[in-house]
């Protein structure tokens, strides 16, 4: 059988593009009720094009991060297709621009924060990563829950007092900058923080009972893969390189906080695209560590379920 974990970059990139395209078409032609819960209006065609480019860029960034951190057995392109499955295949928010932009910022934040693991003195990458994390909060306020990963990073990395100050300064700058601009233009200095808090607490909880059957199957399959990845990384943690162990730990915690964001009243389907960023890291590690036959079966199931989404509710 063909080893799907050793795809060529061209094939994996084309598969990601096709996955994005067919799921966007499905959103326009047959949106699910749960997808329309927070945003009842379908995006314009140009929004779909821009969002597709952003999602393609995000997939490439996630794949580059996975390869550079060494979580794959070799130079692989597996995260490219896995990101497409998780970001677009499960559920897709009609608010495509917000979802894709927030996911892109979180992908860059993850890449730069993990890059600071490689060098103890790499403060610039840490600042850039936390700045991107802060920008994701401005784009989509429920991403604020992801800031909790910095508290975990203090113990995982670990961070010196100087790096802690740099990290929290970077994550606070976008909100402080938006507040200052609003105040400079004549608004009250409390308007932006108040609107920010209202947008986090507003909305309604996602109705899980309205999940389509295929969506539930995709969620179950992804949950099993992620659980396997976490168990495998925990069992082999002392035989792994420090960089790989810390990468998986940080990605797992980032995923946990992202799932909290999905459960928020203001989170929902839009947050699924954000959660796909760290989930891809863990899922790609899990599939890469499976036997070749098991990996091919999991990959084939994803493909079949994504295709079934187009025709079955």
């Amino acid at each position: 059988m063909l080893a799907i974990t050793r795809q060529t970059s061209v094939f994996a990139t084309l598969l990601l593009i096709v996955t994005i395209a067919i799921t966007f078409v499905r959103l326009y032609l047959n949106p699910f009720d749960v997808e329309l819960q927070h945003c009842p209006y379908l995006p314009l065609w140009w929004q779909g094009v821009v969002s597709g480019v952003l999602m393609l860029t995000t997939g490439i960034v996630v794949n580059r991060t996975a390869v550079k951190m060494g979580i794959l057995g070799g130079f692989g392109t597996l995260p490219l297709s896995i990101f497409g499955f998780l970001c677009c295949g499960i559920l897709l928010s009609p608010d495509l621009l917000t979802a894709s932009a927030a996911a892109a910022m979180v992908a860059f934040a993850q890449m730069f924060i993990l890059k600071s693991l490689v060098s103890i003195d790499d403060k610039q990458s840490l600042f850039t990563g936390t700045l991107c994390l802060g920008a994701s909060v401005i784009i989509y306020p429920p991403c604020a829950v992801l800031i909790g990963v910095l508290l975990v990073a203090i113990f995982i990395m670990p961070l010196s007092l100087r790096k802690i100050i740099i990290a929290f300064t970077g994550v606070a700058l976008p909100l402080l900058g938006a507040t200052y601009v609003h105040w400079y233009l004549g608004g009250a200095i409390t308007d932006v923080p108040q609107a920010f808090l209202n947008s986090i607490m507003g909305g309604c909880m996602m109705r899980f009972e309205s999940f389509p059957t295929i969506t539930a199957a995709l969620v179950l399959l992804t949950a099993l893969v992620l659980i396997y990845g976490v168990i495998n990384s925990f069992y082999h943690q002392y035989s792994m390189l420090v960089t790989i162990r810390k990468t998986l730990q940080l990605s797992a915690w980032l995923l946990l906080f992202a799932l909290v964001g999905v459960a928020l009243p203001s989170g929902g389907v839009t947050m699924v695209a954000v959660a796909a960023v760290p989930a891809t890291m863990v899922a790609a590690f899990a599939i890469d560590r499976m036997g070749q036959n098991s990996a091919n079966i999991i990959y084939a199931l994803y493909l079949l379920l994504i295709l079934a989404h187009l025709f079955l509710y």
Side-chain angles (χ1 to χ4, degrees):
M1 295 179 70
L2 178 64
I4 54 92
T5 55
R6 299 294 179 267
Q7 299 170 344
T8 64
S9 58
V10 174
F11 177 83
T13 304
L14 287 176
L15 182 58
L16 175 58
I17 294 173
V18 170
T19 302
I20 293 173
I22 63 175
T23 50
F24 278 21
V25 170
R26 195 272 307 159
L27 177 66
Y28 280 97
L29 298 180
N30 184 31
F32 302 140
D33 293 338
V34 67
E35 292 175 328
L36 298 174
Q37 181 177 343
H38 287 86
C39 182
Y41 306 104
L42 293 177
L44 301 175
W45 68 268
W46 65 267
Q47 293 175 327
V49 172
V50 174
S51 300
V53 173
L54 282 172
M55 287 185 177
L56 176 60
T57 304
T58 304
I60 293 173
V61 170
V62 173
N63 187 84
R64 183 174 183 270
T65 304
V67 172
K68 188 170 184 179
M69 293 297 108
I71 66 172
L72 302 177
F75 184 86
T77 53
L78 181 62
L80 273 174
S81 49
I82 295 299
F83 176 76
F85 298 156
L86 301 184
C87 182
C88 305
I90 298 178
L91 288 172
L92 198 59
S93 172
D95 193 3
L96 282 176
L97 276 179
T98 300
S100 57
M105 286 295 101
V106 172
F108 279 109
Q110 178 180 252
M111 180 182 68
F112 283 112
I113 292 174
L114 290 175
K115 184 180 177 182
S116 66
L117 289 173
V118 179
S119 176
I120 299 177
D121 297 325
D122 192 358
K123 302 179 182 64
Q124 181 178 352
S125 295
L126 180 62
F127 177 77
T128 305
T130 54
L131 191 66
C132 291
L133 189 60
S136 72
V137 176
I138 296 297
I139 295 171
Y140 191 52
C143 288
V145 296
L146 303 181
I147 298 176
V149 79
L150 296 179
L151 300 176
V152 178
I154 293 174
F155 302 99
I156 292 178
M157 297 175 77
L159 297 178
S160 62
L161 179 59
R162 179 176 296 181
K163 279 195 170 185
I164 293 174
I165 295 174
I166 291 173
F168 282 97
T169 300
V171 81
L173 271 181
L175 181 59
L176 293 176
T179 302
Y180 173 77
V181 170
H182 181 77
W183 171 78
Y184 181 80
L185 294 176
I189 199 169
T190 58
D191 285 350
V192 173
Q194 186 63 43
F196 176 75
L197 291 175
N198 290 340
S199 60
I200 293 178
M201 301 311 298
C204 56
M205 299 295 290
M206 185 189 296
R207 297 189 299 269
F208 293 99
E209 66 275 8
S210 61
F211 269 28
T213 304
I214 305 300
T215 300
L218 279 165
V219 171
L220 178 60
L221 177 61
T222 303
L224 293 175
V225 171
L226 293 174
I227 291 172
Y228 175 82
V230 171
I231 293 176
N232 188 282
S233 62
F234 180 79
Y235 184 78
H236 297 286
Q237 60 177 322
Y238 297 112
S239 60
M240 292 180 181
L241 294 175
V242 175
T243 302
I244 299 176
R245 183 171 71 247
K246 290 184 176 180
T247 297
L248 292 172
Q249 288 175 345
L250 204 65
S251 297
W253 278 104
L254 189 61
L255 173 60
L256 180 62
F257 284 113
L259 293 178
V260 172
V262 173
L264 286 176
S266 57
V269 179
T270 305
M271 199 68 183
V272 172
V274 175
V277 173
T280 299
M281 299 287 285
V282 180
F285 167 80
I287 295 176
D288 188 71
R289 292 301 176 98
M290 293 179 182
Q292 181 176 323
N293 292 338
S294 299
N296 284 335
I297 291 173
I298 295 295
Y299 198 81
L301 284 175
Y302 268 117
L303 287 174
L304 290 174
L305 290 174
I306 297 298
L307 290 175
H309 242 177
L310 299 177
F311 308 104
L312 302 176
Y313 191 85

